[in-house]
Amino acid sequence: PKKDTIALQHGAHRTGNRTDADMARWRSLRFGQFIHWGLYAIPGGEWNGKTYNGAAEWIRSWKEMPHEEYDKLYRQFNPVNFNPQQWAAQAKSMGAKYMIITTKHHDGFCLWPSKYSKYTIAATPWKKDLLGPMIDAYNKAGIDVHLYFSIIDWNHPDYRASLKNAADSAAGKRFQLFVKNQLAELLQRYPTIKGFWFDGTWDDSWKNDGAFSDELEQYLQSLHPGLVMGSRLRADEKGARHFDSNGRLMGDYEQGWERKLPATIEDVHGNDWEAVMTVPENQWGYHAKWTGHVKTVNEILEMLVKSVSLNGNFVLNFGPKADGTFRTEEQQLAAGIGQWMKVNGEAVYNGTYAGFEKQDWGYYIRKAGTDSVYMVVFNIPVSGSLRVKLPARTELTGASMLLGNTTLTPEWIGRNEYFLHLPGKTTDSPVVILLKTVTGE
Ligand code: FHN
């Protein structure tokens, strides 16, 4: 590792990844569901007959949308068809092992009845807490829950993007206390949660107070030891985010992979990381009109598998409608992913970088700490033969496709290379093959 050249009080406090059981659990889950749900689901990207083409959850910032109008939407929020058990069942059958829910997005509206704000679910016609029943249902389905929390708060009178004078600084201090109180409240109300997912931390007012975010991270850890929090929360005292001024990761995992994935293992520098992905190009909250490319089941599966093959977690976003139901496209996507995961999920959970040279047909994944290596094949060559290139002194003794448990007999080519011949056209989905290998002296 490189030597630190800059003395920092509020930089990274750890070298390498966390090694405790809570972090090991997070790392093993590999596949998560993100949910963006809030008042923005009501306009769904449309206002006064006009369509806003930006991300639906940003509609309040659109010049055609009067803030006073947006800030009154809570009076209509009444998700009468919200069925947390159904949500959890859908996530479970998709194969998600953790879920991240927007407790509060940039608009400042809280999905829980916070005692520190009037702008919450308690003020809506629905009145009741949404988060509690959701967390319970997911936990009962065996799914861990993490809480998304935006620092940017468009509704709070004390929020400032930058602090320009003494009055701003005083407001900034009040706002910090508000954030701290809300986070402690969430932990106290929902003790089973496994982590916070911070967002909206790019404004100067936040970036320029590395001491505060550092203290906050430690405070939250002290309230709830084991909590998992990514690199978006903190800045160091020089305003560097994610990586401190010495290039070391702050927080428990790298959280910069939004709508993009690393290309190679070198890109992740040995750090834990997570990617979050939208189904259309850039929509997180519900938008009635999805335009542009909408990702397919196989595209999503490839992103998931690629992430796991590079030691990362992959989280797929859903934007439920204001009534509490999911759009058909999302339901179908979840079902399609689930179908594949049912047969092939064992290659994903606990999956890690295999240490084998990547081949054009797809990705190798090693089950953590074992000799089990999976090939996940997305591109079948016209020959139907897959080249398996193993590290030196490794022999391929057998292989089987998870689908149908079909045995494949390896053909030795030379050195540590083999062919696996696929039995004709098998399926329209990625093919997963478990390799049996023996490593000699
Ligand atoms: O502005 C938000 C956006 O609406 C969405 O919540 C994503 C999710 O990662 N985060 C922000 C942009 O980075």
Side-chain angles (χ1 to χ4, degrees), residues 34 36 57-58 105-106 148 197 199 202 232 258 276 284:
F34 211 153
H36 275 69
E57 72 282 1
W58 275 80
H105 203 260
H106 308 332
Y148 169 108
W197 204 100
D199 201 5
W202 50 79
R232 286 195 191 201
E258 176 172 317
V276 291
W284 299 90

Side-chain angles (χ1 to χ4, degrees), residues 186-340:
L186 285 167
L187 284 177
Q188 188 253 325
R189 289 183 63 103
Y190 312 113
T192 66
I193 66 142
K194 302 291 185 190
F196 280 116
W197 204 100
F198 290 102
D199 201 5
T201 49
W202 50 79
D203 279 343
D204 283 348
S205 54
W206 189 262
K207 274 192 330 203
N208 294 343
D209 195 348
F212 178 73
S213 52
D214 191 8
E215 183 222 298
L216 182 66
E217 188 183 65
Q218 292 177 36
Y219 170 68
L220 297 172
Q221 275 290 356
S222 75
L223 293 180
H224 193 111
L227 212 55
V228 173
M229 292 176 281
S231 63
R232 286 195 191 201
L233 173 61
R234 295 217 276 128
D236 73 9
E237 56 262 57
K238 298 189 177 304
R241 297 176 61 231
H242 297 281
F243 294 91
D244 70 15
S245 301
N246 291 310
R248 291 169 55 187
L249 182 71
M250 292 179 286
D252 299 326
Y253 61 93
E254 193 193 343
Q255 212 182 353
W257 300 101
E258 176 172 317
R259 299 190 289 122
K260 62 180 182 193
L261 298 181
T264 67
I265 195 72
E266 283 74 34
D267 294 340
V268 301
H269 310 288
N271 292 315
D272 281 322
W273 64 275
E274 172 195 78
V276 291
M277 192 57 65
T278 48
V279 178
E281 186 47 28
N282 185 21
Q283 292 294 343
W284 299 90
Y286 172 73
H287 195 300
K289 293 202 180 98
W290 274 357
T291 49
H293 180 69
V294 176
K295 295 177 191 74
T296 63
V297 171
N298 282 339
E299 279 175 83
I300 299 286
L301 289 176
E302 181 155 6
M303 291 176 171
L304 165 64
V305 164
K306 182 176 185 180
S307 300
V308 176
S309 80
L310 299 176
N311 282 335
N313 284 7
F314 180 82
V315 177
L316 182 63
N317 182 70
F318 289 72
K321 296 191 224 173
D323 73 350
T325 61
F326 288 84
R327 68 196 308 144
T328 315
E329 297 95 321
E330 288 181 348
Q331 292 180 35
Q332 288 171 348
L333 200 60
I337 294 169
Q339 234 178 357
W340 186 86

